[in-house]
Amino acid sequence: MRTPGFWYGSGGAGAALGWALAPLGALYGLAGRLRMAAGQPERAAVPVLCVGNLVAGGAGKTPVCIAMADTLRARGVAPAFLTRGHGGRERGPLPVDLGIHDSAAVGDEALLLAAHGPCWVARDRAAGARAAVAAGASVLVMDDGFQNPGLAKDLSLIVVDGAVGFGNGHLVPAGPLREPVARGLARAGAVVVLGEDRAGVERRVAGALPVLHARLEPVESARDLAGRAVLAFAGIGRPEKFFATLEALGARVVERAAFADHHPYRPEEVMALVDRANALGALPVTTVKDAVRLPDPLRALVRAVPVRAVWRDPAALDRLLAPLLTALPTGVPNG
């Protein structure tokens, strides 16, 4: 779905629409509470680190997952990713094979994760955890699933887009929240503010939880886009984040095209974008998350711009992870 503009707006008709839909949001919240209360979460044989969020749509969880796994590997730990495989048809548990699977099978996020380490797709997170541990994982990094009650988490990080925070404060469909902020923070171990904190997220957390700061920055190979005319398109939670990244690189964004999150691109859509870019004398560019959803024969016609999460204070992350690493099973290296 495309993120409704009024979720992150303030005042006017958008605010009125949020309040009008608030009763439906209350029902959504009740359903979520009942789901979380149903059954006892299974505890995995290894620590589970969940990277989640409190809002529907993208907040930057996947780059943070990759950065967390890199940090763990640097300390001698063998992490595996665990994800639902949103947008894919496979239910799992299934190890992602980049030579076999595409986004229609396992979803776009699973493909991005699998490029950085072992990744398991599983609608049943507990079953996925068992399979990953049996295959040799010593820590599980779970992309999303904070609201999933099936698997116990040893540490949960809430990723928040610093530009928009928690939006208008309403639950879906009246706003972006999957659950009330206070309830979600009560189950979390820390908050990760991604980008400049223009929404006052750290002030709202007010010392109740550790707050880590990170930013998404393009990889070095993207620097050659400075000064170039580009036609930018993206089907992510907030496409404008990608457009702003390109502008910060110094690219001249001559046209923008926004699609719904996880949009499956049809060949004719891609060719229309490529033809339009050619007419403008521009380079068609998109995110790596979008690139894996492009039809294979057309992927080479579009430039993908990779980004990575960079921590402001890596030592703060080390302090947060220390208890998790000490909980590793006997015999597993922890650096």
Side-chain angles (χ1 to χ4, degrees):
M1 63 174 284
R2 186 172 297 178
T3 301
F6 74 89
W7 280 5
Y8 294 103
S10 60
L17 185 55
W19 282 109
L21 293 172
L24 294 178
L27 292 176
Y28 179 92
L30 175 61
R33 288 199 303 274
L34 293 175
R35 182 167 173 261
M36 290 294 294
Q40 184 70 22
E42 182 174 322
R43 183 157 293 281
V46 302
V48 174
L49 192 161
C50 176
V51 179
N53 65 6
L54 300 184
V55 300
K61 297 183 302 297
T62 300
V64 171
C65 281
I66 292 168
M68 296 296 297
D70 289 343
T71 298
L72 291 166
R73 270 191 296 271
R75 284 145 185 77
V77 178
F81 298 111
L82 180 60
T83 183
R84 182 184 184 276
H86 185 82
R89 63 176 176 271
E90 297 287 354
R91 299 188 63 83
L94 177 74
V96 177
D97 185 334
L98 293 175
I100 298 174
H101 297 126
D102 59 12
S103 62
V106 297
D108 49 19
E109 290 153 347
L111 295 177
L112 299 182
L113 294 168
H116 294 270
C119 178
W120 289 78
V121 162
R123 304 286 175 90
D124 182 336
R125 307 300 173 86
R130 293 192 296 270
V133 171
S138 56
V139 173
L140 297 177
V141 178
M142 189 160 67
D143 187 346
D144 210 358
F146 182 65
Q147 287 82 18
N148 184 289
L151 185 63
K153 293 89 173 172
D154 295 278
L155 175 64
S156 291
L157 306 183
I158 298 299
V159 180
V160 186
D161 183 342
V164 294
F166 303 111
N168 63 8
H170 292 297
L171 299 182
V172 174
L177 290 175
R178 296 176 173 183
E179 61 178 311
V181 173
R183 183 179 302 131
L185 295 180
R187 302 197 316 279
V191 169
V192 178
V193 178
L194 207 52
E196 183 183 353
D197 187 7
R198 299 200 297 268
V201 176
E202 186 165 17
R203 183 173 63 251
R204 180 163 186 177
V205 174
L209 289 173
V211 177
L212 306 180
H213 291 268
R215 68 184 186 277
L216 294 182
E217 65 175 31
V219 300
E220 190 62 31
S221 62
R223 302 295 173 186
D224 66 349
L225 292 176
R228 296 192 65 175
V230 300
L231 181 152
F233 66 96
I236 56 178
R238 290 185 60 241
E240 55 270 27
K241 286 198 301 183
F242 176 59
F243 306 149
T245 295
L246 293 172
E247 291 173 335
L249 269 174
R252 292 189 297 113
V253 183
V254 297
E255 194 160 309
R256 300 164 171 81
F259 295 86
D261 198 11
H262 303 287
H263 177 73
Y265 291 96
R266 301 188 306 275
E268 58 269 25
E269 285 179 316
V270 180
M271 283 310 306
L273 290 164
V274 171
D275 291 343
R276 176 63 177 161
N278 290 337
L280 292 169
L283 178 70
V285 298
T286 193
T287 72
V288 290
K289 184 176 177 180
D290 287 277
V292 299
R293 285 182 269 119
L294 300 179
D296 283 342
L298 304 179
R299 201 168 292 164
L301 301 178
V302 176
R303 171 79 175 269
V305 182
V307 296
R308 62 192 184 105
V310 179
W311 302 103
R312 179 192 295 179
D313 182 4
L317 178 62
D318 286 338
R319 291 191 295 272
L320 186 68
L321 290 177
L324 188 78
L325 297 180
T326 60
L328 288 171
T330 304
V332 174
N334 64 1

